[in-house]
């Protein structure tokens, strides 16, 4: 522990040394950086550090827009269409980034190599599109792990009944098949449900994507022609259909998005919940959650191929190609994602994207068993996490896929019909855009 | 030196022309033009990629588009008729009140003051299957022991949206019809009574014909609103699940802004405008007939 403290102090000093080396006093005096940043309580604490950067460099930051990512996305698209890229720094997200191939500049030549080396390599890889490092990840890394109600696994009557029905011991699920069995077993509608899932838009398309991968399949071939209409894809969709048909999920789940899921699990009416790290504090807060004190966290289960699900994404900051002072803008982006900034953000719960900060949060959590359990589960899941397919048409493809997934879940179409329709629609989308 | 002088009428009208050109004509022409291109918001250079009537052909051949179109017509028909009947009832009752009528009229307008987004959230919560007000009430009263999926079942979700639309806009009809009731000359009504008409006959054959012009004006205004229904639906169901409540503008909005395919979205928008034109022409014809039969027409 002592050694760690000493080494982290050294690392911190080294970090500060680097930071002060990079930020020469008054280096950008007179420069104003216009920024469009993601708003919302969990994201804004970081922006309180901006005056520190301003004092150091002499530059000014002017936040011209602060909205949620979906609204920012629409605004960016309108700006691109109008040719009105008058700002320098923008919030970005790994799922949205491939949509704006010409908007952002390559950060590699603007930053010291050791800065980039401090990030988790998988994150840098996911932030690199067509060889361009389009953003630096902030401490808002997202991958889903399994939250569950611990008391369900300590009840001997349940354990006995489960074994009698399914022929194996009741334990926290390690595979999606076990997860399905247990969700059906625990369900007692309309008061209690085995699980729930995001049922629309990128939410369900992303879940489907990660289960396809966990089953050993893929969403797209190398030329980005659709590949999900496969045995692995059918198996994945069948999983959603089975849970819905069995009444193991709330009947409204096809309309649910993240807030509905988080509030649902916190209401104590859901047994198993695959969810993001940002909810961990909320679920265990007695003022907000009925399951506080009863929450267990495990790594995401594995699919038929023995691969863990791990659809992941992260927030970051990018510099526009049209920016007049890219060096100053890159310096701001660097500052907002450096070790101090990431330590500040991850102290509130979100996961970091810098190796040193991962080590720090795990060491800090040593005295808090729940936090340690959360971090261990997410770190294990993060090891094999993967980003969305790197095509500008990902979001558009998900908009074609999700209504078909819903149609199969609700029984309007069979699994085969739904995937065939979705695959045909994505195929014509790709052809129309000249992808192949 | 020759100096061009514009006639005074043109000079006076010029500001109006310029403003109309800037805020109406140019955007209309530009969006019409872009509907013939492969314009994508994220790739500005595509606005010059002329693809002829490809977008229109694609929309015409798209079953999802026509399903949304049909649903929009159904929503229009259902919501307008319900709003008209409820608004008429409300107006007739409020007209009878003598004490506190002004307060009632003000209260009647409350739903119109809410932003549609807020109304959407309010009804989304009421109809939520798990924690919603309606299901909890039904379960507590012992009327059902299942969670009714109000916003998932195609018919129920559609009715939930109609309920939200009706709640928020019935007062438009009520206010306009109330104005009509106040404008009715009393002589024919009294004459009908003297001739021994029952209250129903008086209402049906004297009052209602006088109110019809007001009803048609309300219908024309609301038909334009409902044909563009977007915010309430977007919040409550976003057109889903499985496109079961997809309306024209949820589809067009997603295509234009989320998928960034503005050219295609504009083509669908232009086809959708036909719907508004048809309904408006229909109601104006009805209005003219109603006015003529009252001797108010030209």
């Amino acid at each position: 522990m002592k050694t760690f403290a000493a080494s982290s102090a050294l690392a911190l000093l080294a970090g500060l040394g680097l930071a002060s080396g990079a930020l020469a006093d008054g280096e950008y005096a007179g420069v104003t950086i216009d920024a469009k940043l993601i708003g919302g309580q969990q994201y804004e604490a970081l922006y309180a550090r901006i005056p520190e950067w301003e004092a150091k460099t002499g530059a000014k930051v002017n936040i011209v827009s602060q909205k949620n990512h979906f609204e920012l996305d629409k605004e960016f698209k309108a700006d691109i269409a109008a040719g009105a890229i008058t700002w320098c720094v923008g919030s970005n997200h790994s799922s949205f980034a491939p949509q704006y191939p010409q908007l952002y500049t390559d950060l590699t030549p603007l930053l010291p190599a050791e800065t980039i080396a401090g990030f988790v390599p998988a994150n840098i890889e996911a932030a690199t599109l067509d060889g361009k490092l389009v953003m630096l990840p902030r401490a808002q890394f997202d991958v889903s792990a399994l939250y569950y109600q611990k008391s369900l696994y300590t009840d001997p009557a349940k354990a006995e009944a489960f074994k009698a029905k399914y022929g194996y011991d009741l334990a926290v699920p390690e595979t999606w098949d076990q997860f399905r069995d247990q969700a059906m077993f625990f369900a007692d509608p309309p008061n209690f449900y085995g699980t729930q899932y995001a049922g629309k838009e990128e939410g369900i398309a992303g879940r489907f994507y990660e289960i396809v991968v966990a089953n050993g399949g893929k969403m797209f071939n190398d030329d980005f022609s659709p590949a999900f209409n496969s045995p692995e894809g059918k198996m994945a969709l069948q999983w959603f259909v089975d849970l819905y048909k069995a009444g193991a999920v709330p009947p409204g789940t096809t309309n649910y998005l993240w807030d509905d899921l988080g509030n649902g699990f916190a209401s104590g009416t859901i047994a198993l919940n695959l969810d993001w790290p940002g909810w961990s504090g909320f679920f265990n807060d007695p003022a907000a959650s009925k399951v506080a004190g009863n929450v267990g966290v495990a790594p995401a289960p594995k699919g038929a191929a023995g691969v863990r699900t791990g659809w992941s994404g992260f927030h970051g900051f990018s510099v526009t190609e049209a920016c007049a002072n890219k060096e100053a803008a890159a310096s701001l982006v660097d500052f907002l994602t450096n070790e101090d900034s990431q330590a500040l953000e991850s102290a509130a719960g979100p996961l970091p994207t810098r190796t040193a900060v991962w080590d720090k949060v795990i060491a800090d959590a040593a005295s808090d068993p729940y936090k340690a359990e959360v971090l261990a589960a997410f770190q294990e899941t993060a090891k094999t996490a993967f980003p969305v397919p790197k095509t500008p048409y990902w979001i558009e493809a998900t908009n074609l896929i999700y209504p078909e997934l819903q149609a199969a879940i609700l029984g309007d179409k069979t699994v085969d019909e739904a995937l065939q329709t979705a695959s045909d629609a994505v195929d014509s989308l790709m052809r129309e855009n000249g992808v192949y | 030196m020759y100096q061009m002088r514009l006639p005074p009428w043109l000079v006076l009208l010029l500001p109006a022309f310029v403003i109309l050109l800037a805020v109406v004509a140019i955007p209309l022409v530009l969006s019409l033009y872009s509907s013939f291109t492969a314009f994508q918001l994220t790739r500005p250079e595509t606005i010059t990629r002329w693809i002829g009537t490809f977008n229109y052909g694609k929309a015409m051949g798209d079953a999802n588009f026509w399903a949304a179109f049909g649903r929009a017509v159904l929503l229009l028909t259902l919501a307008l008729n319900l709003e008209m009947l409820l608004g008429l009832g409300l107006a007739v009752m409020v007209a009878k009140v003598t004490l506190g009528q002004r307060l009632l009229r003000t209260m009647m307008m409350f739903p119109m003051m809410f932003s549609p987004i807020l109304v959407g959230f309010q009804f989304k919560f009421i109809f939520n299957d798990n924690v919603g007000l309606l299901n909890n009430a039904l379960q507590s009263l012992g009327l059902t022991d299942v969670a009714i999926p109000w916003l998932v079942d195609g018919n129920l979700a559609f009715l939930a949206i109609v309920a939200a639309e009706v709640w928020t806009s019935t007062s438009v009809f009520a206010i306009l019809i109330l104005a009509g009731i106040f404008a009715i000359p009393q002589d024919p009504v009294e004459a009908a009574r003297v001739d021994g008409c029952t209250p129903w006959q008086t209402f049906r054959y004297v009052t209602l014909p006088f109110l019809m012009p007001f009803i048609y004006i309300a219908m024309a205004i609301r038909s334009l609103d409902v044909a563009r229904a977007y915010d309430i639906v977007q919040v409550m169901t976003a057109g889903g699940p499985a496109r079961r409540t997809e309306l024209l503008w949820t589809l067009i909005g997603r295509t234009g802004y989320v998928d960034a395919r503005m050219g295609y979205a504009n083509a669908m928008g232009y086809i959708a405008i036909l719907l508004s034109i048809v309904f408006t022409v229909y109601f104006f014809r009805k209005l003219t007939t109603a006015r003529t039969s009252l001797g108010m027409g030209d």
Side-chain angles (χ1 to χ4, degrees):
Chain A
M1 188 68 214
K2 222 174 195 174
T3 334
F4 178 82
S7 63
S8 59
L10 272 176
L12 201 63
L13 278 176
L16 286 175
L18 180 68
S20 56
L23 300 178
D25 279 351
E27 192 182 353
Y28 302 118
V31 174
T32 300
I33 299 289
D34 283 346
K36 293 199 170 184
L37 305 179
I38 183 170
Q41 202 193 353
Q42 71 181 109
Y43 305 111
E44 287 173 24
L46 175 65
Y47 309 150
R49 291 203 73 212
I50 291 176
E52 214 178 296
W53 179 81
E54 290 176 327
K56 198 84 190 156
T57 59
K60 285 294 293 173
V61 177
N62 182 21
I63 301 179
V64 288
S65 187
Q66 211 166 341
K67 296 175 174 160
N68 74 40
H69 241 295
F70 295 96
E71 292 306 313
L72 271 188
D73 173 57
K74 286 180 192 158
E75 191 171 310
F76 291 166
K77 285 171 181 166
D79 285 351
I80 297 172
I85 317 292
T86 53
W87 40 280
C88 269
V89 170
S91 278
N92 207 346
H93 190 282
S94 54
S95 295
F96 288 89
Q99 292 187 95
Y100 333 110
Q102 298 143 356
L103 178 59
Y104 293 123
T105 194
D106 184 7
L107 291 170
T108 319
L110 299 169
L111 296 166
E114 58 269 29
T115 301
I116 298 169
F119 287 86
V120 175
N123 296 152
I124 289 295
E125 209 276 313
T128 307
L129 302 173
D130 288 334
K132 274 170 38 176
L133 178 63
V134 294
M135 66 169 140
L136 275 192
R138 65 191 278 188
Q140 294 283 351
F141 175 73
D142 271 334
V143 68
S144 298
L146 175 61
Y147 293 94
Y148 60 93
Q149 293 198 21
K150 282 195 287 196
S151 56
L152 295 169
Y153 294 92
T154 51
D155 180 349
K158 278 202 166 66
E160 200 181 317
F162 183 84
K163 186 152 192 192
K165 191 165 180 193
Y166 294 94
Y168 63 95
D169 286 331
L170 178 63
V172 179
E174 283 175 9
T175 69
W176 286 109
D177 283 343
Q178 293 171 359
F179 183 107
R180 172 169 44 196
D181 291 346
Q182 295 182 18
M184 289 179 183
F185 174 75
F186 291 133
D188 178 23
N191 303 314
F192 195 79
Y193 293 98
T195 186
Q196 54 182 353
Y197 43 76
K200 62 179 180 184
E201 298 164 13
E202 203 207 357
I204 188 169
R207 287 281 179 253
F208 172 71
Y209 161 55
E210 63 180 344
I211 299 185
V212 170
V213 173
N215 285 344
K218 40 186 188 171
M219 210 62 182
F220 297 104
N221 296 311
D222 292 344
D223 63 351
F224 285 107
S225 56
F228 53 83
N229 187 15
S230 59
E232 296 85 1
K234 287 174 187 172
M235 206 191 305
L237 181 51
Q238 193 63 48
W239 180 88
F240 290 92
V241 175
D242 289 349
L243 285 170
Y244 195 85
K245 271 198 184 147
V249 292
T253 203
T254 44
N255 277 341
Y256 288 4
L257 267 184
W258 312 121
D259 283 359
D260 307 283
L261 302 184
N263 289 321
F265 186 68
S267 75
T269 58
I270 306 289
L272 304 163
N273 182 42
L274 191 73
D275 222 323
W276 306 103
W279 290 101
S280 62
F282 181 79
F283 289 153
N284 215 32
D285 173 4
S289 161
K290 287 188 181 159
V291 288
N294 185 28
V295 184
V297 193
K302 293 175 179 170
V307 178
R308 230 181 259 295
T309 51
W311 165 42
S312 69
F314 49 82
H315 292 262
F317 296 104
S318 299
V319 173
T320 57
E321 196 68 72
C323 178
N325 200 326
K326 292 196 184 80
E327 287 75 19
S331 153
L332 174 64
V333 168
D334 180 11
F335 177 81
L336 290 173
T337 56
N338 69 18
E339 286 186 21
D340 290 347
S341 294
Q342 292 223 350
L344 174 85
E345 280 209 282
S346 52
L351 302 181
T353 49
R354 279 178 166 274
T355 319
V357 184
W358 261 112
D359 296 343
K360 181 182 178 310
V361 291
I362 287 175
D364 287 351
S367 58
D368 179 344
Y370 175 71
K371 217 172 167 188
E373 186 182 345
V374 170
L375 284 170
F378 280 101
Q379 201 186 24
E380 182 59 34
T381 311
K383 278 182 193 160
T384 49
F386 40 89
V388 300
K390 287 180 185 174
T391 160
Y393 306 107
W394 166 245
I395 297 283
E396 208 173 331
T398 64
N399 280 332
L400 293 170
I401 295 167
Y402 88 79
E404 301 305 328
L405 302 181
Q406 290 178 327
I409 291 167
L410 296 173
D412 292 356
K413 288 185 180 171
T414 64
V415 165
D416 289 6
E417 284 165 0
L419 287 185
Q420 186 63 52
T421 315
S423 176
D424 290 347
V426 174
D427 182 54
S428 57
L429 163 76
M430 295 297 178
R431 282 181 199 280
E432 243 173 60
N433 285 291
V435 176
Y436 50 86
Chain B
M1 198 179 104
Y2 175 76
Q3 202 177 358
M4 195 179 76
R5 285 184 67 109
L6 295 169
W9 60 268
L10 187 56
V11 175
L12 289 172
L13 283 176
L14 209 55
F17 278 139
V18 170
I19 291 171
L20 276 178
L21 202 69
V23 301
V24 179
I26 293 178
L28 270 181
V29 171
L30 196 66
S31 60
L32 183 65
Y33 161 78
S34 77
S35 70
F36 294 100
T37 66
F39 183 38
Q40 288 191 11
L41 282 183
T42 45
R43 289 156 193 263
E45 71 280 3
T46 50
I47 198 162
T48 54
R49 236 181 80 202
W50 184 266
I51 51 169
T53 55
F54 178 84
N55 286 330
Y56 286 91
K58 192 174 162 181
M60 294 288 197
D62 183 358
N64 292 325
F65 174 75
W66 288 113
F69 194 95
R71 235 173 262 123
V73 175
L74 189 65
L75 178 72
L76 259 170
T77 316
L78 252 177
L80 285 191
N81 280 304
L82 275 174
E83 285 173 23
M84 194 269 283
L85 287 175
L86 292 173
L88 184 63
L90 209 59
V92 170
M93 285 193 283
V94 170
K96 295 269 182 231
V97 175
T98 45
L99 188 68
Q101 197 199 64
R102 202 174 280 202
L103 181 74
L104 273 179
R105 287 201 316 246
T106 314
M107 279 171 62
M108 217 160 65
M109 292 180 72
F110 277 172
M112 285 165 67
M113 298 174 193
F114 286 98
S115 120
I117 301 272
L118 200 66
V119 176
F121 277 114
Q122 193 175 302
F123 277 85
K124 187 181 175 185
F125 172 65
I126 292 174
F127 287 110
N128 182 293
D129 56 293
N130 196 10
V131 293
L133 223 56
L134 193 58
N135 269 355
N136 271 309
L138 291 175
Q139 286 163 11
S140 306
L141 291 170
L143 295 174
T144 179
D145 58 353
V146 296
I148 302 170
W150 291 103
L151 296 176
V152 173
D153 180 278
N155 295 330
L156 292 179
F158 193 76
L159 290 180
I161 290 168
V162 171
E165 282 285 345
V166 168
W167 182 84
T168 184
S169 296
T170 293
S171 44
V172 176
F173 276 85
I175 297 289
L176 282 169
I177 295 173
L178 197 59
I181 291 177
F182 290 144
I184 293 178
Q186 285 308 301
D187 305 351
V189 179
E190 279 161 15
R193 255 185 231 143
V194 171
D195 288 345
C197 288
T198 61
W200 166 250
Q201 285 170 328
T202 315
F203 174 76
R204 172 68 188 82
Y205 297 104
V206 182
T207 314
L208 197 58
F210 272 108
L211 292 180
M212 283 322 278
F214 293 89
I215 290 177
Y216 285 128
I217 289 173
M219 286 259 189
I221 295 175
R222 279 292 297 153
S223 74
L224 293 177
D225 275 351
V226 182
R228 290 177 295 140
Y230 176 74
D231 9 32
I232 291 182
V233 192
Q234 181 65 25
V235 172
M236 284 177 72
T237 64
R243 297 203 173 95
R244 285 172 172 190
T245 56
E246 187 89 286
L247 294 178
L248 279 174
W249 292 99
T250 52
L251 177 67
I252 294 171
R254 195 167 48 245
T255 308
Y257 284 100
V258 182
D259 296 349
R261 287 199 284 171
M262 209 33 115
Y264 183 43
N266 278 332
M268 290 199 282
Y270 272 93
I271 302 175
I273 284 174
L274 287 178
L275 184 65
S276 300
I277 294 176
V278 167
F279 270 85
T280 313
V281 168
Y282 174 76
F283 287 128
F284 268 98
R285 284 216 171 142
K286 285 286 199 187
L287 175 66
T288 316
T289 321
R291 284 166 62 93
T292 315
S293 70
L294 287 174
M296 294 154 81
D298 297 323

